[in-house]
Amino acid sequence: LYTASDSCEGRCEEPFSEEDECHCHADCERSHSCCEDFHRHCRAEGFSRRRDAITDEDLLRVSERLYGADHNKARPSDVAINPQYQASPDETGDQEDRSPQPLYKYVNEKLFSKPTYASFIKLLDNYQRATGREEDVTAEELREQDNFLKEVMKTELMKELFAFLYEKNRYSSEQEFVDDLKEMWFGLYSRGNGEQDSSGFEHVFSGEVKKGKVSGFHNWIRFYLLEKQGTVNYFSHNFDGPWDTYPDVLGLQFSWDGFYKEVGSAFIGCSPEFEFGLYTLCFIARPGRACHLSLGGHSLSIQTYAWTKSTYGHGKKHIATAYVISS
């Protein structure tokens, strides 16, 4: 059901982009740039017809609707950040702490009692951050996954996302969508030593350590909670999004128990369902490519990658990573 960068499945009539490995629009035959399966998918009735393709315009429209539906995001009075030093591109890798104060001056923790926040936070301690160590998933942790999915699906934002994907023939029921979200985000795969040691959710939201460096870790709530504990130390930022309200976007440098993250982009002040929904949309619509969105009239792009070394269902792929492009 997912589009792939080397296939026309779900991509017929998608506009030309230089980022694509091959193309599926009507003129690709003239330029000899069609994907190998162009004729199979784009010359027959069904899923891959024009009406089911997710166009660039569709993404701009639906992302604005999701932005408007984020009713659980922080209000301006709920979060105060102190970004301090802005690092130049040649400074992000030098592991120097140029910001003496924490990033977060204040967060209204009443936010965390909202059902989607509370169920999200319960998931964060379910993981061993070191890759190569098998994840032991308990029955309680599985229940926490189900509860998080149940809570986010109650929100207008996720209902809006499902309605869009249903209209585009990606899912035939909400239950099918929820079941797929669980596999896509929480299904385990191996990043090292053949152990079932990782998942898209762990990587993106909780964070991992691989080869002595922080990998993933793109969530503001996780950052705030660990900074408050004293295990995360904010160093600097290299990008500050165009917003004067939330969700803001930062590209930042930090250490986590001494492990360094050179550029960790994050939405600041959004609800868990906002990130979860936008990353899901982009993974389904533009895996492996920049996914161009519009949020409150501002352009923003998200990059996702699929885990290619294992699949689930009928050849579907788990999420390897998803993050805001902060440059």
Side-chain angles (χ1 to χ4, degrees):
L1 293 179
Y2 304 147
T3 60
S5 55
D6 60 352
S7 169
C8 280
E9 185 170 7
R11 292 180 53 212
C12 298
E13 301 300 331
E14 194 176 270
F16 172 82
S17 169
E18 288 184 358
E19 296 168 353
D20 294 339
E21 294 177 37
C22 56
H23 303 100
C24 306
H25 53 80
D27 293 335
C28 70
E29 291 178 290
R30 258 206 307 265
S31 58
H32 305 291
S33 64
C34 297
C35 299
E36 285 185 15
D37 58 5
F38 172 73
H39 285 277
R40 179 156 59 91
H41 288 298
C42 302
R43 289 285 183 260
E45 285 297 327
F47 165 68
S48 294
R49 297 294 290 172
R50 174 195 283 267
R51 65 178 175 270
D52 293 330
I54 298 176
T55 66
D56 289 352
E57 291 74 22
D58 287 333
L59 287 172
L60 297 178
R61 276 196 301 272
V62 74
S63 55
E64 280 291 1
R65 291 209 299 270
L66 298 181
Y67 179 80
D70 189 14
H71 305 306
N72 286 327
K73 69 182 177 185
R75 295 164 303 180
S77 59
D78 287 331
V79 179
I81 59 173
N82 183 18
Q84 300 164 83
Y85 189 82
Q86 181 157 2
S88 64
D90 58 354
E91 290 175 325
T92 59
D94 63 11
Q95 305 192 32
E96 190 172 326
D97 183 359
R98 294 183 168 91
S99 301
Q101 302 300 316
L103 174 60
Y104 287 92
K105 288 198 287 192
Y106 170 75
V107 171
N108 177 7
E109 294 194 10
K110 287 181 181 174
L111 279 173
F112 300 161
S113 63
K114 290 175 181 270
T116 58
Y117 285 80
S119 59
F120 172 81
I121 289 168
K122 280 191 172 172
L123 293 167
L124 295 175
D125 64 358
N126 291 354
Y127 300 102
Q128 300 184 64
R129 68 183 179 188
T131 58
R133 293 173 61 186
E134 182 104 16
E135 292 292 347
D136 178 24
V137 183
T138 66
E140 182 183 357
E141 289 171 353
L142 289 171
R143 282 194 297 274
E144 289 174 352
Q145 293 171 11
D146 290 335
N147 190 51
F148 171 71
L149 293 171
K150 182 183 79 176
E151 293 299 341
V152 296
M153 287 307 299
K154 290 178 184 175
T155 65
E156 181 188 330
L157 188 152
M158 288 298 287
K159 288 185 181 299
E160 188 82 51
L161 175 59
F162 169 69
F164 173 75
L165 295 172
Y166 177 81
E167 176 194 330
K168 290 295 183 179
N169 206 22
R170 297 309 196 266
Y171 298 98
S172 58
S173 70
E174 190 172 302
Q175 189 58 54
E176 183 189 357
F177 180 46
V178 172
D179 290 345
D180 201 36
L181 286 172
K182 186 165 183 179
E183 281 290 351
M184 182 195 306
W185 280 103
F186 294 102
L188 293 172
Y189 49 81
S190 174
R191 282 187 195 263
N193 303 333
E195 306 287 348
Q196 297 292 93
D197 63 344
S198 187
S199 68
F201 186 92
E202 176 186 7
H203 180 85
V204 172
F205 293 104
S206 183
E208 299 180 295
V209 172
K210 185 175 183 181
K211 296 180 180 175
K213 291 184 177 179
V214 176
S215 182
F217 196 145
H218 299 287
N219 179 255
W220 77 274
I221 300 166
R222 174 73 160 161
F223 191 102
Y224 165 75
L225 292 172
L226 291 182
E227 186 178 63
K228 186 181 171 187
Q229 287 176 16
T231 55
V232 157
N233 180 19
Y234 171 72
F235 281 18
S236 56
H237 69 287
N238 64 294
F239 175 85
D240 192 350
W243 289 270
D244 51 14
T245 183
Y246 298 113
D248 198 358
V249 177
L250 278 183
L252 39 94
Q253 292 69 52
F254 61 92
S255 76
W256 180 18
D257 277 340
F259 300 104
Y260 188 62
K261 180 73 175 180
E262 186 170 331
V263 179
S265 62
F267 285 107
I268 311 288
C270 67
S271 68
E273 61 267 27
F274 179 80
E275 274 184 291
F276 192 71
L278 280 194
Y279 292 155
T280 297
L281 170 67
C282 286
F283 181 67
I284 290 172
R286 300 286 188 271
R289 292 173 282 160
C291 175
H292 304 300
L293 308 177
S294 178
L295 304 178
H298 295 289
S299 298
L300 178 131
S301 300
I302 284 172
Q303 180 73 49
T304 66
Y305 289 104
W307 186 256
T308 58
K309 296 176 184 175
S310 60
T311 60
Y312 68 92
H314 299 291
K316 295 185 192 178
K317 295 182 174 66
H318 302 287
I319 290 175
T321 193
Y323 55 89
V324 185
I325 297 174
S326 59
S327 57

